[in-house]
Amino acid sequence: MREGTGSAASGRSSGPGRSSAAGSTRLPVLLLLLAPAFPLVLAGCGGGDEPARRDLLTMDTVVTITAWGPSGAAAADAGAREVERLAALLDHHKPGSPAALLNAAAGSAPVTAPIELIDVLEAAGAQVRSTSGVFDPTVSPLIEAYGLGSGHPRVPSDDERRRLLALRGWEDVTWDGVRGRASLGRAGQALDLGGLAKGYVVDRALAAVMRTGARAGLVNAGGDLAVGGAKPDGSPFRVGIQDPDRPDGLAGVIEIRGGAVATSGDYERFAIIDGVRWHHLVDPRTGLPGRLTRSATVTASSAMEADALATAVFVLGPDAGMGLVESIQGVEASIIATDGSVHDSPGFGAFRSPGAAP
Amino acid sequence: MTQPSPAEPSVRSTGRPGPPAPAPGRRPPLRGPLDLPLIGLVMAVTAVLWWQLLIGPGGSPPTRVLVVDGSGRASARPLPPSGFLELDVPGPLGTTVVRLTPDGARIVSSPCPCRVCVATGALTRSGAVAACVPNRILVRIEGGAPGGVDAVSR
């Protein structure tokens, strides 16, 4: 080490004619010694730019708004306000909301519908058409009959199921965006706009977050989520896919830099009755829960589209579900089938995080 | 610290044919007995730091839990170093019980009808959330270094 000391001393004491030679010798050593500093500095930058986060209990789930950047707190607040505003309009479980009043007035005169409800009805109609009715909010009375959220789950009899299935019919849903009116044509009908409306709220809340100046934003409503902007450290958003069998486990991780992800699974809202799992993802064609799938994850440009398609793909199962996904541009999906096999659409692999399961 | 002399012998002592001798007053790199181990150590530390930053499996474990009760009041508690600790969290329907362990937390009982919150199971990742929506209770795991996921789609 004495040599090192001598060398350093010689560098400092050299005259102008020798300093460049000594400096070029020290440069690799200097870079070597500084090498550990680069990841430390990067980690420090990421850790020092903690995002602002807001949680809301609404629309029958937890909505978490995360915003990065100097305006993160204001942006997260703006997102939270937008969530609360829209939930008051679109949550059909909220007494007095336009969505609840629409259901209550089924079979009678049209009710007042704000533009946000009209937006959701139009989007729902588009999804009913694109999925050939596999996604259909008018199946709501039958889903309610299972009582999954009531604490008293039950299996409707075949007669009851047939009677409630007869209330299904998107053609009975009418709306007039100009006059701000909407109606359900037959008494007893009801809409469950839950999934689609949640996606709509996510998209609008993210827009509010970004409009308020966030560098990056993430809005997650019970697992239906959308992201925007670029995180301060430049890394993509890492989204875990719930493992159907382990509540705290992940079946995989995907990385996205924009757009939306939604998952439908049979593990979220279910009851075991006589050893059989009865869940809320009911096939509108049969009135029975879909039996081919454990979970379906869909990526799309909007949470509203991802949400509706995740429901439809779940019900259709791996074969028909992938057929639907491949027919729609900009949409990818991964399905975990009932037998545990994993089915990815051709473009889904590009999202998977290297090294993450499966 | 002494000023080196051009005649200092320590940098040219082998007498065997080899690389060209350095200019006087200039010491070639990688000649000291500890240089190579030092370089190896620095490279190893650098590699570990990059691994932690870029592909670390989930950052360091969570350290605390944020609990929001039915009135909207939030409180943060450290996770116990061993054993478990149960919190009675009041809400409009009654008391929701949250169990804290060294690894995380979970809702173990709730007065709500559907018990989705209990079925959520253990929360062990930083950022993981469980909620009893009817009883207005929210539990979030916090702390620990980043490196896991930003959100979970379920």
Side-chain angles (χ1 to χ4, degrees):
Chain A
M1 292 310 288
R2 188 174 63 82
E3 291 175 2
T5 302
S7 173
S10 73
R12 283 196 300 272
S13 62
S14 298
R18 285 175 14 202
S19 65
S20 77
S24 66
T25 301
R26 289 200 309 272
L27 187 60
V29 176
L30 192 63
L31 286 176
L32 183 68
L33 291 174
L34 286 177
F38 293 117
L40 284 174
V41 167
L42 283 177
C45 288
D49 199 352
E50 282 294 309
R53 186 175 286 123
R54 303 288 181 270
D55 295 306
L56 295 94
L57 297 175
T58 188
M59 300 192 79
D60 209 19
T61 191
V62 184
V63 182
T64 300
I65 299 125
T66 311
W68 285 260
S71 306
D77 287 339
R81 282 194 300 274
E82 184 70 346
V83 169
E84 287 175 334
R85 185 183 77 82
L86 293 173
L89 301 174
L90 302 174
D91 185 355
H92 67 279
H93 292 300
K94 196 179 285 281
S97 72
L101 294 176
L102 175 62
N103 282 346
S108 57
V111 299
T112 300
I115 188 62
E116 293 85 354
L117 181 55
I118 299 289
D119 283 347
V120 172
L121 291 174
E122 287 184 346
Q127 293 301 332
V128 171
R129 287 189 296 276
S130 76
T131 64
S132 303
V134 177
F135 172 82
D136 187 346
T138 63
V139 78
S140 175
L142 178 56
I143 296 174
E144 292 292 325
Y146 282 95
L148 295 172
S150 68
H152 304 288
R154 55 187 282 273
V155 180
S157 67
D158 289 348
D159 282 348
E160 183 181 13
R161 200 170 65 244
R162 275 192 290 272
R163 181 174 58 78
L164 293 172
L165 270 181
L167 289 171
R168 176 190 168 217
W170 185 256
E171 62 278 5
D172 295 317
V173 186
T174 58
W175 61 90
D176 182 339
V178 175
R179 294 181 179 154
R181 312 285 284 172
S183 68
L184 298 178
R186 289 182 282 156
Q189 285 189 311
L191 296 181
D192 183 353
L193 294 170
L196 197 86
K198 254 193 314 186
Y200 179 79
V201 170
V202 166
D203 292 331
R204 295 288 293 264
L206 179 64
V209 166
M210 301 310 294
R211 208 166 43 237
T212 313
R215 187 179 295 177
L218 187 160
V219 180
N220 181 1
D224 299 341
L225 59 96
V227 304
K231 291 200 298 186
D233 63 2
S235 64
F237 294 90
R238 287 169 56 82
V239 178
I241 298 172
Q242 175 71 50
D243 185 328
D245 293 317
R246 295 180 298 137
D248 201 36
L250 298 180
V253 177
I254 61 173
E255 296 181 342
I256 56 174
R257 292 190 180 273
V261 186
T263 298
S264 288
D266 67 1
Y267 44 81
E268 278 288 288
R269 197 158 294 180
F270 68 95
I272 304 291
I273 300 174
D274 295 334
V276 177
R277 179 182 293 254
W278 297 87
H279 59 80
H280 71 297
L281 296 163
V282 170
D283 186 339
R285 300 166 300 183
T286 65
L288 297 169
R291 295 294 186 204
L292 302 172
T293 315
R294 296 300 315 280
S295 80
T297 298
V298 171
T299 64
S301 59
S302 77
M304 190 158 60
E305 183 179 26
D307 210 338
L309 288 176
T311 303
V313 168
F314 181 99
V315 168
L316 287 169
D319 293 337
M322 282 304 168
L324 173 65
V325 168
E326 290 174 23
S327 72
I328 304 172
Q329 196 168 12
V331 171
E332 302 293 343
S334 178
I335 299 173
I336 300 176
T338 306
D339 64 5
S341 58
V342 177
H343 307 255
D344 285 358
S345 63
F348 195 85
F351 295 120
R352 285 202 180 273
S353 174
Chain B
M1 257 214 227
T2 57
Q3 292 292 328
S5 157
E8 198 167 359
S10 59
V11 294
R12 289 189 288 116
S13 60
T14 62
R16 294 193 297 270
R26 203 181 144 201
R27 175 193 156 261
L30 310 184
R31 293 295 295 269
L34 295 178
D35 281 358
L36 283 176
L38 180 65
I39 290 169
L41 179 66
V42 169
M43 291 179 71
V45 168
T46 305
V48 168
L49 290 172
W50 278 113
W51 185 85
Q52 286 282 346
L53 177 67
L54 297 178
I55 54 175
S60 57
T63 56
R64 62 182 182 271
V65 61
L66 179 79
V67 178
V68 181
D69 69 17
S71 67
R73 190 179 59 188
S75 59
R77 282 177 175 270
L79 295 174
S82 61
F84 68 87
L85 174 69
E86 289 192 344
L87 306 178
D88 291 340
V89 187
L93 300 183
T95 299
T96 294
V97 179
V98 180
R99 177 176 294 175
L100 313 187
T101 65
D103 298 330
R106 67 183 301 162
I107 296 176
V108 292
S109 75
S110 174
C112 65
C114 49
R115 305 292 188 89
V116 171
C117 53
V118 177
T120 300
L123 310 173
T124 58
R125 284 189 310 274
S126 184
V129 172
C132 179
V133 178
N135 207 27
R136 317 298 296 169
I137 306 295
L138 185 139
V139 180
R140 174 191 291 285
I141 300 296
E142 295 188 326
V149 295
D150 295 299
V152 175
S153 183
R154 65 180 78 243

